[in-house]
mmCIF file with all atom_site columns, all heavy atoms in Angstrom:
data_model
loop_
_atom_site.group_PDB
_atom_site.id
_atom_site.type_symbol
_atom_site.label_atom_id
_atom_site.label_alt_id
_atom_site.label_comp_id
_atom_site.label_asym_id
_atom_site.label_entity_id
_atom_site.label_seq_id
_atom_site.pdbx_PDB_ins_code
_atom_site.Cartn_x
_atom_site.Cartn_y
_atom_site.Cartn_z
_atom_site.occupancy
_atom_site.B_iso_or_equiv
_atom_site.pdbx_formal_charge
_atom_site.auth_seq_id
_atom_site.auth_comp_id
_atom_site.auth_asym_id
_atom_site.auth_atom_id
_atom_site.pdbx_PDB_model_num
ATOM 1  N N   . LEU A 1 26 ? 14.264 0.308  3.529  1.00 98.00 ? 30 LEU A N   1
ATOM 2  C CA  . LEU A 1 26 ? 15.503 -0.220 2.941  1.00 98.00 ? 30 LEU A CA  1
ATOM 3  C C   . LEU A 1 26 ? 15.729 0.210  1.517  1.00 98.00 ? 30 LEU A C   1
ATOM 4  O O   . LEU A 1 26 ? 16.839 0.376  1.087  1.00 98.00 ? 30 LEU A O   1
ATOM 5  C CB  . LEU A 1 26 ? 15.542 -1.732 3.113  1.00 98.00 ? 30 LEU A CB  1
ATOM 6  C CG  . LEU A 1 26 ? 15.763 -2.193 4.547  1.00 98.00 ? 30 LEU A CG  1
ATOM 7  C CD1 . LEU A 1 26 ? 15.596 -3.719 4.699  1.00 98.00 ? 30 LEU A CD1 1
ATOM 8  C CD2 . LEU A 1 26 ? 17.152 -1.778 5.067  1.00 98.00 ? 30 LEU A CD2 1
ATOM 9  N N   . THR A 1 27 ? 14.641 0.345  0.747  1.00 98.00 ? 31 THR A N   1
ATOM 10 C CA  . THR A 1 27 ? 14.812 0.884  -0.620 1.00 98.00 ? 31 THR A CA  1
ATOM 11 C C   . THR A 1 27 ? 15.364 2.322  -0.513 1.00 98.00 ? 31 THR A C   1
ATOM 12 O O   . THR A 1 27 ? 16.332 2.684  -1.170 1.00 98.00 ? 31 THR A O   1
ATOM 13 C CB  . THR A 1 27 ? 13.472 0.875  -1.382 1.00 98.00 ? 31 THR A CB  1
ATOM 14 O OG1 . THR A 1 27 ? 12.972 -0.446 -1.425 1.00 98.00 ? 31 THR A OG1 1
ATOM 15 C CG2 . THR A 1 27 ? 13.643 1.369  -2.817 1.00 98.00 ? 31 THR A CG2 1
ATOM 16 N N   . LEU A 1 28 ? 14.716 3.137  0.315  1.00 98.00 ? 32 LEU A N   1
ATOM 17 C CA  . LEU A 1 28 ? 15.161 4.503  0.507  1.00 98.00 ? 32 LEU A CA  1
ATOM 18 C C   . LEU A 1 28 ? 16.601 4.546  0.962  1.00 98.00 ? 32 LEU A C   1
ATOM 19 O O   . LEU A 1 28 ? 17.436 5.304  0.401  1.00 98.00 ? 32 LEU A O   1
ATOM 20 C CB  . LEU A 1 28 ? 14.255 5.204  1.543  1.00 98.00 ? 32 LEU A CB  1
ATOM 21 C CG  . LEU A 1 28 ? 14.628 6.642  1.863  1.00 98.00 ? 32 LEU A CG  1
ATOM 22 C CD1 . LEU A 1 28 ? 14.503 7.538  0.638  1.00 98.00 ? 32 LEU A CD1 1
ATOM 23 C CD2 . LEU A 1 28 ? 13.719 7.160  2.991  1.00 98.00 ? 32 LEU A CD2 1
ATOM 24 N N   . GLY A 1 29 ? 16.969 3.723  1.951  1.00 98.00 ? 33 GLY A N   1
ATOM 25 C CA  . GLY A 1 29 ? 18.353 3.695  2.466  1.00 98.00 ? 33 GLY A CA  1
ATOM 26 C C   . GLY A 1 29 ? 19.317 3.397  1.348  1.00 98.00 ? 33 GLY A C   1
ATOM 27 O O   . GLY A 1 29 ? 20.383 4.064  1.239  1.00 98.00 ? 33 GLY A O   1
ATOM 28 N N   . ASN A 1 30 ? 19.044 2.402  0.555  1.00 98.00 ? 34 ASN A N   1
ATOM 29 C CA  . ASN A 1 30 ? 19.958 2.039  -0.555 1.00 98.00 ? 34 ASN A CA  1
ATOM 30 C C   . ASN A 1 30 ? 20.140 3.184  -1.556 1.00 98.00 ? 34 ASN A C   1
ATOM 31 O O   . ASN A 1 30 ? 21.246 3.453  -2.008 1.00 98.00 ? 34 ASN A O   1
ATOM 32 C CB  . ASN A 1 30 ? 19.500 0.773  -1.241 1.00 98.00 ? 34 ASN A CB  1
ATOM 33 C CG  . ASN A 1 30 ? 19.924 -0.469 -0.562 1.00 98.00 ? 34 ASN A CG  1
ATOM 34 O OD1 . ASN A 1 30 ? 21.119 -0.769 -0.497 1.00 98.00 ? 34 ASN A OD1 1
ATOM 35 N ND2 . ASN A 1 30 ? 19.022 -1.233 -0.020 1.00 98.00 ? 34 ASN A ND2 1
ATOM 36 N N   . LEU A 1 31 ? 19.018 3.853  -1.874 1.00 98.00 ? 35 LEU A N   1
ATOM 37 C CA  . LEU A 1 31 ? 19.117 4.914  -2.879 1.00 98.00 ? 35 LEU A CA  1
ATOM 38 C C   . LEU A 1 31 ? 19.887 6.127  -2.351 1.00 98.00 ? 35 LEU A C   1
ATOM 39 O O   . LEU A 1 31 ? 20.675 6.740  -3.082 1.00 98.00 ? 35 LEU A O   1
ATOM 40 C CB  . LEU A 1 31 ? 17.713 5.329  -3.350 1.00 98.00 ? 35 LEU A CB  1
ATOM 41 C CG  . LEU A 1 31 ? 17.145 4.539  -4.501 1.00 98.00 ? 35 LEU A CG  1
ATOM 42 C CD1 . LEU A 1 31 ? 17.216 3.069  -4.389 1.00 98.00 ? 35 LEU A CD1 1
ATOM 43 C CD2 . LEU A 1 31 ? 15.737 4.971  -4.861 1.00 98.00 ? 35 LEU A CD2 1
ATOM 44 N N   . LEU A 1 32 ? 19.636 6.453  -1.089 1.00 98.00 ? 36 LEU A N   1
ATOM 45 C CA  . LEU A 1 32 ? 20.368 7.622  -0.506 1.00 98.00 ? 36 LEU A CA  1
ATOM 46 C C   . LEU A 1 32 ? 21.853 7.303  -0.382 1.00 98.00 ? 36 LEU A C   1
ATOM 47 O O   . LEU A 1 32 ? 22.713 8.121  -0.669 1.00 98.00 ? 36 LEU A O   1
ATOM 48 C CB  . LEU A 1 32 ? 19.758 7.952  0.873  1.00 98.00 ? 36 LEU A CB  1
ATOM 49 C CG  . LEU A 1 32 ? 18.336 8.472  0.904  1.00 98.00 ? 36 LEU A CG  1
ATOM 50 C CD1 . LEU A 1 32 ? 17.887 8.735  2.331  1.00 98.00 ? 36 LEU A CD1 1
ATOM 51 C CD2 . LEU A 1 32 ? 18.177 9.698  0.027  1.00 98.00 ? 36 LEU A CD2 1
ATOM 52 N N   . LEU A 1 33 ? 22.124 6.073  0.059  1.00 98.00 ? 37 LEU A N   1
ATOM 53 C CA  . LEU A 1 33 ? 23.537 5.662  0.183  1.00 98.00 ? 37 LEU A CA  1
ATOM 54 C C   . LEU A 1 33 ? 24.268 5.751  -1.128 1.00 98.00 ? 37 LEU A C   1
ATOM 55 O O   . LEU A 1 33 ? 25.368 6.245  -1.177 1.00 98.00 ? 37 LEU A O   1
ATOM 56 C CB  . LEU A 1 33 ? 23.533 4.200  0.709  1.00 98.00 ? 37 LEU A CB  1
ATOM 57 C CG  . LEU A 1 33 ? 24.820 3.659  1.278  1.00 98.00 ? 37 LEU A CG  1
ATOM 58 C CD1 . LEU A 1 33 ? 25.217 4.458  2.507  1.00 98.00 ? 37 LEU A CD1 1
ATOM 59 C CD2 . LEU A 1 33 ? 24.616 2.172  1.698  1.00 98.00 ? 37 LEU A CD2 1
ATOM 60 N N   . ALA A 1 34 ? 23.620 5.269  -2.167 1.00 98.00 ? 38 ALA A N   1
ATOM 61 C CA  . ALA A 1 34 ? 24.254 5.310  -3.523 1.00 98.00 ? 38 ALA A CA  1
ATOM 62 C C   . ALA A 1 34 ? 24.522 6.715  -3.976 1.00 98.00 ? 38 ALA A C   1
ATOM 63 O O   . ALA A 1 34 ? 25.463 6.981  -4.773 1.00 98.00 ? 38 ALA A O   1
ATOM 64 C CB  . ALA A 1 34 ? 23.357 4.601  -4.519 1.00 98.00 ? 38 ALA A CB  1
ATOM 65 N N   . ALA A 1 35 ? 23.727 7.686  -3.470 1.00 98.00 ? 39 ALA A N   1
ATOM 66 C CA  . ALA A 1 35 ? 23.931 9.088  -3.884 1.00 98.00 ? 39 ALA A CA  1
ATOM 67 C C   . ALA A 1 35 ? 24.870 9.817  -2.906 1.00 98.00 ? 39 ALA A C   1
ATOM 68 O O   . ALA A 1 35 ? 25.013 11.023 -3.041 1.00 98.00 ? 39 ALA A O   1
ATOM 69 C CB  . ALA A 1 35 ? 22.596 9.793  -3.924 1.00 98.00 ? 39 ALA A CB  1
ATOM 70 N N   . GLY A 1 36 ? 25.411 9.083  -1.968 1.00 98.00 ? 40 GLY A N   1
ATOM 71 C CA  . GLY A 1 36 ? 26.343 9.705  -1.028 1.00 98.00 ? 40 GLY A CA  1
ATOM 72 C C   . GLY A 1 36 ? 25.694 10.531 0.061  1.00 98.00 ? 40 GLY A C   1
ATOM 73 O O   . GLY A 1 36 ? 26.339 11.330 0.708  1.00 98.00 ? 40 GLY A O   1
ATOM 74 N N   . ILE A 1 37 ? 24.385 10.282 0.320  1.00 98.00 ? 41 ILE A N   1
ATOM 75 C CA  . ILE A 1 37 ? 23.705 11.024 1.379  1.00 98.00 ? 41 ILE A CA  1
ATOM 76 C C   . ILE A 1 37 ? 23.927 10.300 2.721  1.00 98.00 ? 41 ILE A C   1
ATOM 77 O O   . ILE A 1 37 ? 23.782 9.063  2.791  1.00 98.00 ? 41 ILE A O   1
ATOM 78 C CB  . ILE A 1 37 ? 22.172 11.093 1.126  1.00 98.00 ? 41 ILE A CB  1
ATOM 79 C CG1 . ILE A 1 37 ? 21.905 11.726 -0.274 1.00 98.00 ? 41 ILE A CG1 1
ATOM 80 C CG2 . ILE A 1 37 ? 21.448 11.835 2.259  1.00 98.00 ? 41 ILE A CG2 1
ATOM 81 C CD1 . ILE A 1 37 ? 22.117 13.169 -0.386 1.00 98.00 ? 41 ILE A CD1 1
ATOM 82 N N   . ASP A 1 38 ? 24.242 11.081 3.727  1.00 97.00 ? 42 ASP A N   1
ATOM 83 C CA  . ASP A 1 38 ? 24.487 10.520 5.068  1.00 97.00 ? 42 ASP A CA  1
ATOM 84 C C   . ASP A 1 38 ? 23.133 10.112 5.674  1.00 97.00 ? 42 ASP A C   1
ATOM 85 O O   . ASP A 1 38 ? 22.279 10.912 5.953  1.00 97.00 ? 42 ASP A O   1
ATOM 86 C CB  . ASP A 1 38 ? 25.123 11.636 5.888  1.00 97.00 ? 42 ASP A CB  1
ATOM 87 C CG  . ASP A 1 38 ? 25.265 11.308 7.350  1.00 97.00 ? 42 ASP A CG  1
ATOM 88 O OD1 . ASP A 1 38 ? 25.527 10.143 7.656  1.00 97.00 ? 42 ASP A OD1 1
ATOM 89 O OD2 . ASP A 1 38 ? 25.101 12.236 8.177  1.00 97.00 ? 42 ASP A OD2 1
ATOM 90 N N   . CYS A 1 39 ? 22.947 8.775  5.872  1.00 98.00 ? 43 CYS A N   1
ATOM 91 C CA  . CYS A 1 39 ? 21.666 8.321  6.442  1.00 98.00 ? 43 CYS A CA  1
ATOM 92 C C   . CYS A 1 39 ? 21.888 7.153  7.372  1.00 98.00 ? 43 CYS A C   1
ATOM 93 O O   . CYS A 1 39 ? 22.948 6.527  7.412  1.00 98.00 ? 43 CYS A O   1
ATOM 94 C CB  . CYS A 1 39 ? 20.717 7.902  5.322  1.00 98.00 ? 43 CYS A CB  1
ATOM 95 S SG  . CYS A 1 39 ? 21.275 6.516  4.313  1.00 98.00 ? 43 CYS A SG  1
#
Side-chain angles (χ1 to χ4, degrees):
L30 288 171
T31 302
L32 178 63
N34 274 297
L35 270 51
L36 294 180
L37 196 61
I41 305 287
D42 171 35
C43 63

